Each structure stands twice: as C-alpha cells, then as structure tokens.
Amino acid sequence: MTTDATLVRIGQGVALHHHQGQREAARDLFAQIWDEIGGERGDPLHVCVLAHSMADVQDDVHQELVWDQRALAAADLLSDARVAEAGVTMPVAGLYPSLHLNLADCYRKLGDLGRAREHLACAQAGIGALGDDEYGQLIKDGLDRLARQLTST
C-alpha cells in the first residue's frame, strides 16, 4: 500500500481521469502538485509518477512526449529502496515497460516509427520485471497491441 502522501494525491488525479472522466480536473491537480514538488527538481519518485500521469492527460502528442520523457529521466534516478520506502510494491525495473510503452506510442503517433520500435523493444526487454497481476497484464496487452500496430505500418 502506498504510504507517500504525494503519491496518494497523484492517485486521486489518476482516478479523476480514468474513473470519473475528468481529464481537465486531473490535469489541473497534476499541475498544482508539479509546482508543489518543485517540478523536475523534486523527488525523482514524485517526478516520475507525476510526469507519467500528466502525459496521459495531454491533448497534444508533443506535450505528451515531453512528459513521458521527464518520467523516464526521473526513473533513471530511482532506487528500489526509495520506491519501497513509499510503499510501492514493485521494483524500479517494473516501471520501465510502461514508461517505454508510452514513449513508443507517442513516437508512433508522431510517425517516428524507428524510435517507436526502439522503445517498444526496450519495453519488451524489461517485461520480466512485471508481476503476474492486473497491472502486469495491462502493460503486456498494451505492448502486444502496439507491436501489432507497428507491424501493420
């Protein structure tokens, strides 16, 4: 169970978006949290999770890409100890398949199929770090779907 107050608030924004269809309200909450944590200078765990979530509520794929890139850069600064301290049950390695999946999808939308395939390959290479649970299956399904889309183009 996540015990970090900032992650709980980010989760509230995710719920606004995914469960209540309030994309703009989620984006506003994420922007407020972003300012509170000090933006990219904040705790890398907060930056990673918040940027990953903020990418999902962007209307412009270029902005989505910027947020996804921020999330990946922050993940590179994380340790398993920091993630565990926050009550997150997966290791840092478990974050990478989703981060790379989102980047691959952005590049696909932008027509940069070479980069899309590179990030898809990175995501697939890290799939062993995912658990055999609902989250792991969600990411694996997303990777399969993206791989089919990239094969057909």
Side-chain angles (χ1 to χ4, degrees), residues 5 11 15 19 28 33 38 40 43 48-49 55 63 69 78 82 97 99 103 106-107 116 120 136 153:
H19 302 296
D28 290 345
I33 297 169
E40 291 177 74
D43 177 331
C48 179
V49 175
Q63 285 302 308
Q69 289 169 330
L78 286 175
R82 172 61 186 111
L99 296 171
L103 282 162
C106 281
Y107 284 120
L120 177 62
T153 53

Side-chain angles (χ1 to χ4, degrees), residues 13-153:
V14 170
L16 279 173
H17 175 224
H18 290 291
H19 302 296
Q20 299 173 27
Q22 297 183 35
R23 184 181 179 104
E24 190 170 324
R27 187 171 40 235
D28 290 345
L29 177 58
F30 293 151
Q32 178 184 0
I33 297 169
W34 184 254
D35 289 342
E36 290 170 8
I37 68 169
E40 291 177 74
R41 294 178 312 281
D43 177 331
L45 179 60
H46 297 156
V47 172
C48 179
V49 175
L50 182 56
H52 190 52
S53 302
M54 182 64 111
D56 290 344
V57 296
Q58 297 305 303
D59 296 325
D60 177 80
V61 70
H62 294 94
Q63 285 302 308
E64 181 181 353
L65 177 62
V66 167
W67 285 105
D68 282 332
Q69 289 169 330
R70 285 177 177 146
L72 181 63
D76 289 341
L77 302 174
L78 286 175
S79 69
D80 287 337
R82 172 61 186 111
V83 171
E85 174 188 302
V88 177
T89 57
M90 82 171 81
V92 173
L95 301 174
Y96 283 98
S98 179
L99 296 171
H100 283 290
L101 170 61
N102 285 9
L103 282 162
D105 195 42
C106 281
Y107 284 120
R108 180 195 60 81
K109 292 175 195 174
L110 291 168
D112 189 341
L113 301 184
R115 278 194 165 155
R117 288 183 180 103
E118 287 174 19
H119 282 282
L120 177 62
C122 289
Q124 290 169 327
I127 206 162
L130 293 174
D132 188 23
D133 56 12
E134 186 177 328
Y135 174 77
Q137 194 57 54
L138 176 74
I139 301 306
K140 290 172 188 175
D141 290 347
L143 291 171
D144 290 344
R145 183 178 59 254
L146 184 59
R148 285 192 304 274
Q149 289 172 327
L150 290 173
T151 299
S152 67
T153 53

